[in-house]
Amino acid sequence: MKKRAARTVFIVSFLAPAVLIYGLFVAYPVLQSLVLACYRWRGVSAQRKFVGLENFKKLAQDDVFWRAMSNNLWLLVAAAIVMTVLAVGLAHAMQTSGRVARVLRSVYLFPQVISLVVVAILWMFLYNPSFGLIAGLLKVVGLGAWARPWLGDPQWALPAVGIVFLWHGLGFFTMLYSAGLQSIPAEVTEAAGLDGAVGFQRFWRITWPLLWSVKRISAVYIVINVMNVFALVYLMTQGGPDRRTEVMLTYLYEQAFQNSQFGYATALAVANFALAMLLSLGLMFAFRRNPEDAK
């Protein structure tokens, strides 16, 4: 009994600081947000009026909120598909020892280390329809008629921002899949080759299932990154044109710091948090069991 008590005290003493910090800086702000979402508050006044679920009812009837949520989900689907395909492809390319692989290993993390503000300004110049690099290249190859104000075109603004989001985050996910590929035992791929599995068949039947844990981490990270996207959209388009690039956090910023509707903005934050948690829990449930364990 004494040994068990001593072991319990030892474990609690080590966990207590982390639990205290987590409770103070994560759990308490979340609970505080749930409370503030039930008030009508301008953010600077000491007076707050309790309105119950009025902010959430207003949220359910807000067309801009649903537009922002749909844009977040569009970015999520696009990022999940395109990011995964590109990251796996680049990770595979870097497994070789050729010159191309060496170049990729030296530059693939470059976008990740650049400040997001610099990334936004850089791509705004690239997208400029008058002197941007993209418009210039289109004119050089005889496709000048395709040049357009990408960030000002309602049809192309969200895909344009999505491309920048993918470019900036691709290096991290490439690193994840590269580490996953390196963790696959060489004898597994050699045995697959001896059994006649080559090319895409070997990748789909052997390599892809063995990346199960990396896929789970990657999927959750994509959800977190997409639901937290703010600076890139705000700097490049501020949610325009005509709300076509509005995401939940840019709309939250507008309601809180431009319209001084902090209670409603907090309800937006709660909705964003709830959606991110539901998506993450759904992915964790979908990836709850390694298919290789059942074999």
Side-chain angles (χ1 to χ4, degrees):
M1 290 295 294
K2 290 184 178 180
K3 288 185 178 181
R4 182 177 299 178
R7 183 172 180 270
T8 302
V9 171
F10 177 78
I11 294 173
V12 170
S13 64
F14 270 86
L15 291 179
V19 172
L20 180 63
I21 293 174
Y22 182 85
L24 183 63
F25 293 104
V26 178
Y28 176 70
V30 170
L31 294 175
Q32 191 178 38
S33 297
L34 291 172
V35 174
L36 287 176
C38 298
Y39 285 84
R40 186 182 297 128
W41 183 42
R42 297 189 65 82
V44 294
S45 173
Q47 297 180 350
R48 298 181 299 182
K49 181 180 179 181
F50 182 77
V51 294
L53 299 178
E54 179 184 305
N55 286 324
F56 293 101
K57 292 178 181 178
K58 181 181 176 183
L59 203 64
Q61 300 169 357
D62 191 342
D63 292 337
V64 179
F65 165 72
W66 292 109
R67 161 73 72 174
M69 181 187 290
S70 66
N71 288 339
N72 273 106
L73 295 177
W74 186 93
L75 284 173
L76 177 61
V77 174
I81 296 174
V82 180
M83 189 89 77
T84 301
V85 171
L86 292 178
V88 173
L90 288 173
H92 257 292
M94 291 192 301
Q95 301 307 305
T96 62
S97 58
R99 182 179 301 176
V100 174
R102 291 196 297 271
V103 171
L104 287 175
R105 282 194 289 268
S106 63
V107 301
Y108 80 99
L109 276 177
F110 175 71
Q112 194 71 33
V113 301
I114 304 177
S115 166
L116 203 57
V117 176
V118 176
V119 170
I121 294 173
L122 171 66
W123 278 88
M124 286 172 68
F125 278 106
L126 290 175
Y127 282 136
N128 190 285
S130 300
F131 53 81
L133 179 62
I134 296 175
L137 290 175
L138 289 174
K139 292 175 182 178
V140 167
V141 298
L143 299 174
W146 288 23
R148 63 190 71 238
W150 304 99
L151 297 176
D153 189 323
Q155 183 179 357
W156 290 99
L158 187 59
V161 173
I163 289 172
V164 183
F165 177 80
L166 291 169
W167 180 82
H168 181 256
L170 182 59
F172 174 78
F173 294 96
T174 301
M175 180 177 64
L176 279 181
Y177 281 103
S178 180
L181 289 173
Q182 292 176 10
S183 68
I184 297 176
E187 54 268 22
V188 173
T189 55
E190 291 174 359
L194 292 175
D195 289 339
V198 294
F200 183 76
Q201 183 184 21
R202 181 168 65 181
F203 167 79
W204 186 251
R205 295 185 176 274
I206 306 298
T207 305
W208 186 243
L210 291 176
L211 293 174
W212 171 81
S213 60
V214 179
K215 289 185 289 185
R216 180 176 58 175
I217 296 171
S218 174
V220 174
Y221 263 92
I222 288 175
V223 169
I224 294 172
N225 288 342
V226 170
M227 298 309 298
N228 286 331
V229 65
F230 166 74
L232 191 66
V233 177
Y234 187 79
L235 290 168
M236 296 186 72
T237 64
Q238 296 188 6
D242 192 26
R243 307 280 189 182
R244 294 304 179 93
T245 60
E246 194 80 73
V247 291
M248 295 178 71
L249 293 189
T250 57
Y251 190 45
L252 182 156
Y253 179 87
E254 176 188 326
Q255 293 297 320
F257 298 103
Q258 296 179 9
N259 299 341
S260 297
Q261 300 291 333
F262 274 79
Y264 187 57
T266 307
L268 271 164
V270 171
N272 184 73
F273 173 78
L275 181 59
M277 288 297 295
L278 286 174
L279 291 172
S280 298
L281 290 174
L283 287 171
M284 295 298 291
F285 179 78
F287 285 99
R288 68 191 183 282
R289 186 178 302 159
N290 190 339
E292 291 301 305
D293 294 340
K295 295 182 180 181

